[in-house]
Amino acid sequence: MTAVPATGSRDTAAARVPVRGLTVLYDADCGLCAFLRDWLVRQPQLVPLELLPAASAEARRRYPGLDHRATLDEVTVVADSGQVYRSTAAWIVVLWALRAQRPLAYRLATPAGAPFARGAVLAAARWRESRRRGPRSDGRTYRQPDGWTYHPDIGWTFAPPACVGDACATR
C-alpha cells in the first residue's frame, strides 16, 4: 500500500508515521457504501475509524487537497498523519484497522492476495454502477482512473493510462 498525502505527492517517509486514526470517505448516496459504513461502526477496531460522507462540506474543509469528485467514485481513506489510500489500498487499510479482519488485510496486501483484493473492489464497483445512473455514469460503462473499464456487454477491459512526459502511471 502506497500512501499519498492529501497534497497529491508521494511521501516515502509516510510509511514510518504511526497511524492512530483513519477517516473513511464514503458515498452517502450508495446503498452498498451505507451498508458497509453501518457494518464498520459495529466492528471492534484496533485503529479508530471515522466515517465521513465523500465530497461533503466537512470533507472539503478537512481535505482541500483531495479530488473530491474522485472520492465519490473510489473509496478513499485518510490517516490522521496525512497518508491517503485509494481503491484497493483503502479497502485493505480499513480491514487492517479492524480487530477481526487484520489477518485478512495482511494476506490481501501480499502479491498472492492482491488479485483477490482487486477483484473485490472491482466487483463492488460493478455492483454500484449497476444501481447508479446519473452524472458520474453514462448508464452503460464504468471507468476507473487506473485504466479498468466495465462494459455490460463484454465485461472488464484494461487500457493503461497514457504516459505523460517521461513518466508512465502504474497501478
Side-chain angles (χ1 to χ4, degrees), residues 133-160:
R133 299 293 180 260
R136 290 180 275 149
S137 165
D138 64 10
R140 292 199 36 83
T141 60
Y142 174 79
R143 291 178 180 78
Q144 291 206 196
D146 62 1
W148 285 96
T149 303
Y150 176 74
H151 306 272
D153 299 331
I154 61 172
W156 287 99
T157 60
F158 179 72

Side-chain angles (χ1 to χ4, degrees), residues 1-162:
M1 293 180 289
T2 302
V4 179
T7 60
S9 63
R10 295 207 182 275
D11 181 2
T12 56
R16 295 186 297 271
V17 178
V19 175
R20 293 187 176 89
L22 296 167
T23 301
V24 180
L25 301 172
Y26 69 95
D27 184 347
D29 293 328
C30 164
L32 176 61
C33 301
F35 173 82
L36 289 171
R37 175 205 58 214
D38 294 345
W39 179 79
L40 286 171
V41 298
R42 293 190 309 268
Q43 302 306 303
Q45 300 170 3
L46 295 171
V47 175
L49 297 176
E50 178 184 6
L51 290 293
L52 182 65
S56 65
E58 180 63 13
R60 290 175 191 279
R61 184 189 68 75
R62 286 193 204 177
Y63 310 112
L66 286 180
D67 176 353
H68 290 279
R69 181 159 162 58
T71 65
L72 289 168
D73 289 330
E74 64 180 350
V75 62
T76 303
V77 176
V78 182
D80 60 339
S81 52
Q83 302 98 316
V84 176
Y85 303 90
R86 292 183 178 89
S87 191
T88 306
W91 284 110
I92 293 172
V93 79
V94 167
L95 292 173
W96 173 83
L98 302 176
R99 180 181 311 277
Q101 305 304 324
R102 188 166 276 186
L104 174 61
Y106 283 127
R107 286 192 303 273
L108 293 174
T110 67
F116 295 102
R118 183 72 180 145
V121 169
L122 291 174
R126 180 179 177 187
W127 187 90
R128 285 185 63 204
E129 186 59 25
S130 72
R131 281 143 183 81
R132 175 175 60 183
R133 299 293 180 260
R136 290 180 275 149
S137 165
D138 64 10
R140 292 199 36 83
T141 60
Y142 174 79
R143 291 178 180 78
Q144 291 206 196
D146 62 1
W148 285 96
T149 303
Y150 176 74
H151 306 272
D153 299 331
I154 61 172
W156 287 99
T157 60
F158 179 72

